[in-house]
Amino acid sequence: MQWFKMNLKLLLLLITLCAVPQCDVHACPHQCSCSGDKVECAGVSTMMTFPVYGLPRNTSELSILSTQISSIEASHLNAVPYLTRLQLYRNKLDKLPSNLLHNASRLNSLDLTGNQLGHLPPGVFSQKSLQNLVLKNNHIDQADVEWFADNNSLIWLDVSGNRLSEVPAAFLQKLKHLEHLDLSDNNLQELQPDALKNLHHLEILNLAGNKFTTLTPTAFNHNPKLSRLFLQENHLRELPPSLFSGLPRLQMLLLNQNRLQHIPQGLLDGRNSSFILTLATNPWLCDEKIEYLWRWINEHHHNVFYLEEVTCNGPEDLKDRQVVSLTKSELGVLK
């Protein structure tokens, strides 16, 4: 009888322990690896469905990479109530349910890079705890303001490598806590007026690899914390003289691989010694209008990366000359 009572107490103790998240800490789905509260299922070509069974209940980080999974449901995340980071990288996902994150109350980071997502339903990212969202390299052609709740906490948004031809001003204005915004490698031709108006905390903005030909003079007027601005690989032909005047913290500006022939007087004034600038692979026209750029890069040559690739595209007698090497007489400068 004493033996029975001792074993009964032990059984009750085990049942009690199983009420806490650590109960199934040693469980792990087939074909996945588990370490502490982290689970990774990578390169499993035979994995067709979300691995609900066997997930440790205390999982905080879950990575499912390069599988054949084509769908995910909100109920799948019920198995991991302590999840803070979910990476679903390079799978076959082509849709998401609107209630996907409704029970993921602790989720901070969601990475959906390299799937086949197109249309996303309203409310799909409305979870208040979500701060980092990556939708890179999908098939998204429309940014919908209804994806997010009005009281969202998003600070990092990456929608690069999609098919966006425009981003509504209302979409960006709703994301007032954003610090990092990546819209690179889409089909954008312009920023709507005041699109960045509410992004007072924005520090990094990537617009590279689009089809911008110019930007409005007030495009960045409301982003005083902006420190890195990527504008390379666009179709920029001209820049307003005051475009960067409201950016006292700008430390990196990439303008390479555009269609610039000149830059206006004063565009680069006020930059400190740690400022980084790229200008290569533009068709610079080395006539009297290039004097401002010529003077600036001679005075700040340490700030210009790939300086030797900043060359003249014309006139013919100066073609392929490095701009920094030109003389006053070649430019027709009298003083």
Side-chain angles (χ1 to χ4, degrees), residues 87-91 93 110-118 120 125 132-140 147 156-164 180 182-186 206:
Q87 185 178 32
L88 299 170
Y89 180 86
R90 207 161 54 194
N91 294 290
L93 296 172
L110 176 60
D111 189 336
L112 292 160
T113 297
N115 283 281
Q116 299 170 13
L117 298 170
L120 297 173
F125 305 123
N132 305 290
L133 176 61
V134 181
L135 297 169
K136 181 177 181 179
N137 293 347
N138 277 280
H139 302 161
I140 300 168
W147 290 349
W156 183 298
L157 177 61
D158 185 345
V159 201
S160 63
N162 279 282
R163 301 173 180 178
L164 297 174
H180 179 117
D182 193 338
L183 296 170
S184 62
D185 298 319
N186 278 284
N206 193 343

Side-chain angles (χ1 to χ4, degrees), residues 98 101-102 121-130 133 144-154 170-177:
S98 60
L101 306 181
H102 280 197
V124 63
F125 305 123
S126 60
Q127 180 53 256
K128 180 69 168 64
S129 62
L130 189 64
L133 176 61
D144 188 347
V145 67
E146 298 301 325
W147 290 349
F148 309 103
D150 290 337
N151 61 344
N152 71 84
S153 303
L154 214 64
F171 175 85
L172 295 177
Q173 290 174 3
K174 195 171 189 177
L175 307 176
K176 59 185 179 181
H177 300 293

Side-chain angles (χ1 to χ4, degrees), residues 5 9 18 34 37 51 62 64 78 104 127 132 143 165 174 180 197 205 211 215 223 256 264 287 299 311 331 334:
K5 288 181 179 179
K9 289 181 179 179
C18 281
C34 301
D37 59 355
L62 174 59
I64 300 177
N78 290 342
Q127 180 53 256
N132 305 290
S165 57
K174 195 171 189 177
H180 179 117
K197 182 178 180 179
L205 176 59
K211 299 178 180 179
L215 294 163
N223 317 117
N256 52 291
D287 55 14
E299 293 173 8
T311 58
L331 293 175
L334 300 179

